[in-house]
Amino acid sequence: MGKNKKKSESTDPEPTRRSFLVKIWAGLGMIAFIEFVWVILAFLKPRKPRVVGKNSAQIITAGSVDDFPHDSVTTIRRGRFYLSRLSDGGFLAMSYKCTHLGCAVTWDSEKKLFECPCHSSAFNINGNVISPPAPRALDLYSVVIENGIIKVDTSQRIKRKKFNKEQVAFSQ
Ligand code: FES
């Protein structure tokens, strides 16, 4: 009888199953611990400082003054802005973003209007609102013209209520 009991204990699958589950739990515990350490290290890691100054990637060279006809708009894809050359020869660099909810406006050279596909706002070549709901003129980027080369600083969008002549950059 005692011999039989011993035999049945040795063939009982329970200890094997239990040790397998213990190993699984130990493995999961180890994974959780590694994730925890990783999260802590990621939290403590020093963050990259924000770029405060201007870097060369934010200054976009649009081209030579002579490349742009008077009364025209050119898309500068690299900087995601439009360069308007007004009838008096001055330049404005304007953001793609509609001032209503930020959809990208497109230039219609036939109508001479920037149009927003989202809620039908329209802007003229100066960026002034012709048709709401856009609440204000298209945002500007600062334009500098050096030796006939147009450079646009895309590091900061300049908000404005409407166009005025002081916003226009001229070649010296
Ligand atoms: S986002 Fe342009 S009109 Fe609404």
Side-chain angles (χ1 to χ4, degrees):
M1 185 81 179
K3 207 174 185 183
N4 279 348
K5 191 179 177 194
K6 209 172 190 180
K7 199 173 184 182
S8 72
E9 278 175 6
S10 65
T11 55
D12 186 2
E14 194 59 35
T16 317
R17 194 178 305 143
R18 190 174 298 138
S19 69
F20 175 72
L21 289 174
V22 166
K23 282 180 188 167
I24 292 284
W25 280 111
L28 291 174
M30 183 59 77
I31 290 169
F33 177 74
I34 290 168
E35 276 187 43
F36 175 74
V37 169
W38 184 82
V39 167
I40 294 293
L41 289 177
F43 179 74
L44 295 176
K45 188 175 149 190
R47 295 184 183 183
K48 284 184 187 171
R50 274 185 67 212
V51 177
V52 175
K54 291 167 191 156
N55 65 38
S56 56
Q58 294 169 309
I59 308 289
I60 307 292
T61 301
S64 165
V65 166
D66 298 333
D67 295 341
F68 302 95
H70 288 221
D71 209 21
S72 71
V73 170
T74 304
T75 306
I76 310 293
R77 294 195 195 286
R78 195 159 62 95
R80 297 187 56 77
F81 63 85
Y82 291 105
L83 189 66
S84 284
R85 187 163 197 195
L86 308 180
S87 50
D88 61 4
F91 289 90
L92 288 172
M94 292 180 284
S95 168
Y96 281 7
K97 281 190 168 187
C98 177
T99 54
H100 180 222
L101 293 176
C103 294
V105 298
T106 55
W107 173 248
D108 184 325
S109 56
E110 301 279 309
K111 296 182 196 166
K112 297 257 178 212
L113 289 175
F114 294 101
E115 293 176 322
C116 181
C118 292
H119 313 100
S120 305
S121 285
F123 307 81
N124 69 8
I125 194 169
N126 301 330
N128 267 344
V129 178
I130 298 300
S131 177
R136 56 187 174 77
L138 292 172
D139 294 341
L140 292 177
Y141 292 115
S142 167
V143 176
V144 174
I145 302 173
E146 291 173 345
N147 302 320
I149 302 298
I150 302 159
K151 294 180 179 178
V152 178
D153 178 358
T154 58
S155 65
Q156 194 173 21
R157 268 190 291 140
I158 303 162
K159 293 182 179 178
R160 57 183 177 155
K161 190 75 187 151
K162 58 185 182 180
F163 169 76
N164 74 57
K165 288 193 175 209
E166 287 165 19
Q167 298 160 351
V168 181
F170 289 94
S171 178
Q172 302 303 320

